[in-house]
Amino acid sequence: FVSYNIVNLIKSAKIIQRQTHVPSSENISNLSMNSDCTQVVVPEEVFFTIATAGILENLLVLIAVIKNKNLHLPMYLFICSLSVSDMLVSLYKTVENILIILCKMGYLTPRGDFETKIDDVMDSLFILSLLGSVFSLLAIAADRYITIFYALQYHNIMTLNRALIILAVIWAFCAGSGIAMTIFSHETATVISFTILFPFMLIFILCLYIHMFLLARSHAKQIASLPTRAVPQRVNMKGAITLTIFFGVFLCCWGPFLLHILLMKFCPLNPYCTCYMSIFHVNATLILCNGIIDPMIYAFRSPELRSTLKKMICCTRWKLKEGF
Amino acid sequence: MSAHRLISNKTSPQALPNSDYPLEYEYYEYGPVSFEGLKAHKYSIVIGFWVGLAVFVIFMFFVLTLLTKTGAPHQGNTEPSEKRFHVSSFVADFGKPLESDKVFSRQVAEESRSLFHFSINEAEHLGKVKQSLKAPGLDSNTRFQEGPRSSGRLEEDLNYLPKFNIPNFVNTDQNSSLGEDDLLISEPPIVFESKPVIQTSHQILD
């Protein structure tokens, strides 16, 4: 995992520091008995369940979009890209858990060349999927923005070919960044750029959505100028709730992990930071939960996609019944 | 030498208890951390982070709802109606003062009619624009290359045109190319049920 690489290099850099702490090395076990923060362990069954649910759900979204010709549109392409990145995150976590289990059973040595190479590949895959997730969210927001503000020229601006090109550029950039960040994971600049990228992207997406929201509000005001009052409150409350859900989910799921990376880089020996880092597995579980929640708030909001899924489920049920 | 012992301690899994090996490994990597003399609670960063996050999300929600409340319906209702009343009363000064109400209501109905006609016209205009793309692509212009495909989309768009359910405030369907008119079309039909003008326009869209 990312932590292993960074931790390896922190360790090699601080080996001299540790020499001064040698006399207390025997007290490590004693210290661990005292009021320290032990690692909060999440059972692996929970990991596997959540990761598998995430993979299946995103796979359903992908199959629904591929099967239904009506959904071959730029907007659904971006939602598919989000589903792919969420699926990659869940897949990564599953493979990592399998590797850890293999380590425990002794089939793999934790320091071997092969294992570190696999570790590197997994790290770059994780960063790739993380960046892909954020850029897909940005693409979805930009697509909706163009839909609302350039409504009549939308079909000319956002053609299917352009959407595919945009996606190709995004994923190439994410792959390159993933590999670069894995290679240079010990540099401070990597960690800082990684953690700064997220707030910037988030603020940009927030600005897009707030602009759309303000337009909705001005339209609601126009409607409010007509005699009845019930409509605009409802429209804008829904908009406010939707926006809050989008950003709340993103912040709650990715925020803890980003803070973990920052703390790991800048204060690994501080007891407060160590206590925060001990809940790492809970943070990783939150990232998996993001993979489950994202299809619900992006993909399944579309009535067309929902009806496609219902048809698929009904068809398989009918086929099963026919089979029996 | 002692560093080697430290390393050898960490790399020998058999000495460790039967908990997760990589977890212990990660823990030992951080070196001896003394937990004595902590002024605040040891999980203070965790608690502080989550409390801060919750406060931020709630704050964002309240800011958004406040945005909806400024220019609130009663404000928005009174301002233009007051304006119209002043205009209509000014006009009515030369006529009968009783007709100011009728003038006001007529203006309101006219405006609503015009809003819906505008949206219907937009829909027709959009249809015409798309039909113009149906022209056989004789040149290699990409716009015309997309003609046949967009014509296929035209039918499905016209099919979806009436289905304006907005689960969120942004219509995520492709038929939302009407964009800002969506909000005018989808929400009011529930409200303006009694108005015959709007009913007929809604039937046109259905």
Side-chain angles (χ1 to χ4, degrees):
Chain A
F1 185 58
V2 176
S3 60
Y4 297 147
N5 272 346
I6 298 182
V7 159
N8 289 348
L9 291 145
I10 290 180
K11 179 197 116 170
S12 57
K14 294 193 174 176
I15 208 121
I16 299 166
Q17 250 184 349
R18 290 219 183 86
Q19 279 177 343
T20 60
H21 290 291
V22 158
S24 56
S25 69
E26 290 103 4
N27 297 334
I28 283 179
S29 55
N30 287 346
L31 274 173
S32 67
M33 300 302 176
N34 286 348
S35 62
D36 68 345
C37 303
T38 52
Q39 278 270 353
V40 174
V41 176
V42 177
E44 293 186 359
E45 294 80 19
V46 173
F47 266 140
F48 273 123
T49 318
I50 297 181
T52 318
I55 291 177
L56 285 176
E57 202 176 346
N58 289 297
L59 210 58
L60 271 180
V61 170
L62 283 177
I63 293 175
V65 172
I66 290 174
K67 266 198 169 183
N68 190 350
K69 292 277 184 293
N70 293 337
L71 298 177
H72 290 181
L73 297 169
M75 181 178 63
Y76 292 103
L77 273 185
F78 295 133
I79 290 182
C80 272
S81 157
L82 183 67
S83 294
V84 165
S85 58
D86 286 336
M87 209 161 61
L88 278 178
V89 171
S90 307
L91 205 67
Y92 158 81
K93 199 63 201 163
T94 315
V95 174
E96 194 198 30
N97 270 6
I98 292 177
L99 286 178
I100 288 181
I101 290 177
L102 287 179
C103 251
K104 269 201 277 192
M105 297 196 332
Y107 290 123
L108 295 175
T109 53
R111 281 300 197 183
D113 266 346
F114 176 65
E115 284 74 23
T116 41
K117 284 210 177 66
I118 283 192
D119 203 33
D120 285 343
V121 167
M122 302 290 288
D123 284 352
S124 46
L125 190 69
F126 179 74
I127 296 179
L128 161 79
S129 51
L130 175 50
L131 289 175
S133 170
V134 173
F135 278 106
S136 301
L137 288 176
L138 178 65
I140 290 175
D143 180 70
R144 288 179 182 175
Y145 189 84
I146 296 176
T147 304
I148 289 195
F149 286 97
Y150 301 95
L152 293 177
Q153 304 107 10
Y154 175 78
H155 281 294
N156 294 336
I157 297 176
M158 189 66 76
T159 62
L160 206 61
N161 284 341
R162 276 196 202 153
L164 286 170
I165 292 172
I166 290 172
L167 281 180
V169 165
I170 285 177
W171 282 99
F173 174 74
C174 294
S177 306
I179 295 174
M181 284 189 185
T182 313
I183 293 175
F184 297 110
S185 61
H186 55 278
E187 305 269 345
T188 314
T190 309
V191 172
I192 290 183
S193 60
F194 190 66
T195 34
I196 280 185
L197 183 72
F198 280 85
F200 275 135
M201 301 282 286
L202 205 64
I203 290 172
F204 185 53
I205 296 175
L206 193 68
C207 290
L208 286 179
Y209 274 119
I210 284 185
H211 197 193
M212 288 191 263
F213 179 76
L214 290 176
L215 180 74
R217 182 179 72 116
S218 70
H219 275 284
K221 272 203 280 190
Q222 280 181 23
I223 298 171
S225 67
L226 303 169
T228 53
R229 293 158 202 257
V231 176
Q233 289 281 5
R234 197 152 47 95
V235 168
N236 287 324
M237 277 305 288
K238 220 177 234 174
I241 291 174
T242 308
L243 267 189
T244 314
I245 289 178
F246 282 168
F247 287 98
V249 165
F250 188 80
L251 282 175
C252 288
C253 292
W254 288 108
F257 171 71
L258 291 175
L259 187 62
H260 177 96
I261 291 198
L262 271 179
L263 292 182
M264 192 165 61
K265 185 67 197 173
F266 292 115
C267 62
L269 296 180
N270 189 331
Y272 298 113
C273 300
T274 317
C275 272
Y276 181 82
M277 292 193 273
S278 67
I279 62 167
F280 173 72
H281 290 269
V282 176
N283 299 341
T285 315
L286 282 172
I287 296 182
L288 289 181
C289 290
N290 183 55
I292 295 183
I293 297 176
D294 268 349
M296 287 186 209
I297 59 180
Y298 285 100
F300 295 152
R301 286 272 187 140
S302 153
E304 178 65 15
L305 206 130
R306 278 203 301 260
S307 63
T308 312
L309 276 176
K310 278 182 200 155
K311 276 187 218 159
M312 270 168 40
I313 295 174
C314 293
C315 275
T316 48
R317 268 200 208 141
W318 179 77
K319 279 182 193 161
L320 284 172
K321 279 185 191 160
E322 288 289 307
F324 288 127
Chain B
M1 210 301 264
S2 45
H4 287 305
R5 198 181 66 197
L6 260 172
I7 296 170
S8 67
N9 262 345
K10 290 168 194 167
T11 54
S12 59
Q14 297 86 8
L16 295 172
N18 59 349
S19 54
D20 287 338
Y21 167 79
L23 299 178
E24 290 280 32
Y25 179 83
E26 247 182 76
Y27 176 71
Y28 280 128
E29 280 291 344
Y30 299 135
V33 179
S34 80
F35 283 90
E36 278 113 33
L38 290 185
K39 296 192 200 78
H41 189 260
K42 57 185 180 177
Y43 282 111
S44 53
I45 293 189
V46 179
I47 297 170
F49 173 75
W50 281 104
V51 166
L53 197 61
V55 164
F56 176 72
V57 170
I58 292 175
F59 170 73
M60 192 169 69
F61 179 69
F62 276 128
V63 163
L64 288 173
T65 45
L66 272 178
L67 275 180
T68 73
K69 296 264 191 301
T70 57
H74 59 275
Q75 267 185 12
N77 219 1
T78 50
E79 281 173 13
S81 67
E82 270 176 3
K83 256 196 285 186
R84 280 198 209 102
F85 185 74
H86 286 309
V87 168
S88 57
S89 64
F90 179 77
V91 170
D93 267 343
F94 297 98
K96 293 180 192 168
L98 289 169
E99 282 189 33
S100 63
D101 284 341
K102 279 190 207 160
V103 167
F104 169 67
S105 57
R106 193 166 22 131
Q107 280 177 347
V108 168
E110 274 171 2
E111 192 178 334
S112 66
R113 214 180 297 140
S114 67
L115 277 172
F116 282 107
H117 280 179
F118 168 73
S119 54
I120 295 165
N121 287 337
E122 285 280 18
E124 288 172 359
H125 174 66
L126 198 65
K128 282 178 199 158
V129 163
K130 286 188 185 168
Q131 275 174 349
S132 70
L133 289 177
K134 253 185 173 177
L138 297 170
D139 43 337
S140 59
N141 195 352
T142 52
R143 211 169 142 231
F144 285 99
Q145 273 178 357
E146 289 173 292
R149 198 168 38 159
S150 72
S151 67
R153 254 185 285 161
L154 165 67
E155 271 92 46
E156 68 215 3
D157 272 7
L158 285 177
N159 283 337
Y160 294 147
L161 214 51
K163 297 178 197 160
F164 281 126
N165 295 322
I166 302 186
N168 45 7
F169 75 104
V170 173
N171 194 352
T172 56
D173 275 346
Q174 197 50 41
N175 53 4
S176 63
S177 46
L178 286 180
E180 40 201 45
D181 303 315
D182 278 348
L183 294 165
L184 295 173
I185 294 169
S186 66
E187 296 295 315
I190 305 161
V191 170
F192 297 121
E193 276 165 352
S194 53
K195 304 224 168 186
V197 172
I198 293 115
Q199 271 183 345
T200 51
S201 66
H202 194 53
Q203 280 164 10
I204 291 170
L205 291 174
D206 273 343

